[in-house]
Amino acid sequence: MTLQILPPELTQVKDKIEAKEPQPYWKPSSLSDGESEEFRLLGCYETGHAIVGWQYASETIDQKTGELRFNGYVVTRSYPENPSDLARETDWSKPDRPKIDGSYVKPRKFLAWVATSAARGRLEVLFIEQKSLREQLTEILQEIEDYTWTENGLANFSIKLSRKGTGLETAYSILPKVRPVPEKIKKQWIKEKESIWLPNFFEGKDPFDGKQTDSKGLPAGGTDKRGSTVLPKQKVNTTETNEEF
């Protein structure tokens, strides 16, 4: 069986829907200078466990004060062209940090992938916004003879994400290492893979709510008026710390 590993849409796709950031998720920007974390990728684009999209900070009018205030993030399938709720940039050079009229925070492209953490031994969402990391990971995944996958879409290797520097001098890197999948992780994945569905990001739902079902308990099909897929709900279980990774 051949699985489609990488999401094909790296630039285009449609629809925007507001989404709250789910837990647990992990971003490379959470690393401090000199720190690193190791993960194993679980699932792929074809199984709903890897997606590419755009995220931007939004603003809304406060009904009490009439002023614009931060209103969370909006996740879109394609690049958002001039959204009316795009948040303005902040002038960090001034003590009161005023908003800058006419200057807006740019939307950021992201790659989200389900993974298990070596440090925490649980199912997480890697939320990668750094272009350099996406390019490095894409290059690694194209070396199909060295970095292989099981039939269930589990990586036979781990990836170590590292950070060096701070501010504008920050640099990120990925180091892959061949590691056969332990039986414990295989069993864990069989038990928990249906509990997470990353396309939920585009519907304003938590990916850890899993696929949705209709009243008969069958997977919901088709799309809504925005072209978004309507999918199920299942509870996610966190895992115990793994001695093997």
Side-chain angles (χ1 to χ4, degrees):
M1 177 178 69
T2 301
L3 291 173
Q4 183 173 342
I5 303 300
L6 283 171
E9 319 93 329
L10 291 180
T11 52
Q12 73 267 45
V13 203
K14 308 155 186 168
D15 313 336
K16 81 171 185 184
I17 304 175
E18 294 186 9
K20 295 180 180 179
E21 291 184 333
Q23 293 287 355
Y25 71 98
W26 185 88
K27 294 183 178 181
S29 57
S30 65
L31 293 171
S32 297
D33 181 17
E35 289 186 338
S36 63
E37 286 230 20
E38 190 172 5
F39 298 89
R40 184 186 298 273
L41 300 177
L42 306 176
C44 58
Y45 169 77
E46 187 173 308
T47 62
H49 299 108
I51 61 169
V52 169
W54 293 83
Q55 177 178 263
Y56 70 86
S58 67
E59 286 184 335
T60 188
I61 296 178
D62 190 308
Q63 298 300 319
K64 294 182 179 179
T65 65
E67 298 180 352
L68 286 170
R69 61 174 175 77
F70 176 67
N71 191 41
Y73 291 92
V74 176
V75 173
T76 68
R77 292 180 182 271
S78 58
Y79 184 83
E81 297 290 347
N82 303 316
S84 59
D85 59 341
L86 185 63
R88 295 162 298 162
E89 289 190 308
T90 299
D91 187 346
W92 296 98
S93 66
K94 298 180 180 179
D96 58 344
R97 298 176 179 176
K99 294 293 185 177
I100 305 173
D101 289 333
S103 181
Y104 300 93
V105 179
K106 294 182 179 179
R108 300 194 67 179
K109 191 175 186 178
F110 70 85
L111 166 66
W113 208 306
V114 180
T116 185
S117 160
R120 292 169 293 281
R122 66 180 184 182
L123 209 68
E124 299 186 350
V125 175
L126 299 186
F127 200 83
I128 301 175
E129 297 174 302
Q130 295 79 6
K131 181 179 179 182
S132 61
L133 284 179
R134 294 198 304 271
E135 291 178 342
Q136 290 177 63
L137 182 57
T138 298
E139 185 174 347
I140 289 169
L141 297 181
Q142 289 175 339
E143 297 181 21
I144 57 177
E145 293 183 359
D146 296 322
Y147 305 111
T148 61
W149 300 75
T150 70
E151 289 188 355
N152 287 327
L154 306 182
N156 282 315
F157 57 93
S158 65
I159 53 173
K160 183 179 180 180
L161 292 93
S162 303
R163 174 178 179 169
K164 288 186 178 181
T166 59
L168 297 177
E169 302 301 318
T170 300
Y172 296 92
S173 62
I174 295 181
L175 178 65
K177 183 176 182 178
V178 175
R179 290 178 180 272
V181 187
E183 288 300 317
K184 184 175 182 178
I185 291 181
K186 291 180 180 179
K187 293 177 181 178
Q188 170 191 337
W189 183 240
I190 291 174
K191 180 180 179 181
E192 299 184 20
K193 64 180 179 180
E194 298 301 329
S195 68
I196 184 167
W197 182 257
L198 293 189
N200 281 355
F201 263 123
F202 301 124
E203 302 191 34
K205 299 183 178 70
D206 190 334
F208 284 91
D209 280 345
K211 292 185 177 182
Q212 299 173 16
T213 58
D214 61 19
S215 58
K216 297 180 181 179
L218 299 174
T223 58
D224 64 14
K225 61 183 179 181
R226 294 188 177 100
S228 303
T229 306
V230 181
L231 302 160
K233 236 177 197 187
Q234 292 180 4
K235 184 178 180 181
V236 65
N237 298 312
T238 55
T239 64
E240 299 178 354
T241 302
N242 292 314
E243 295 180 358
E244 294 181 282
F245 182 68

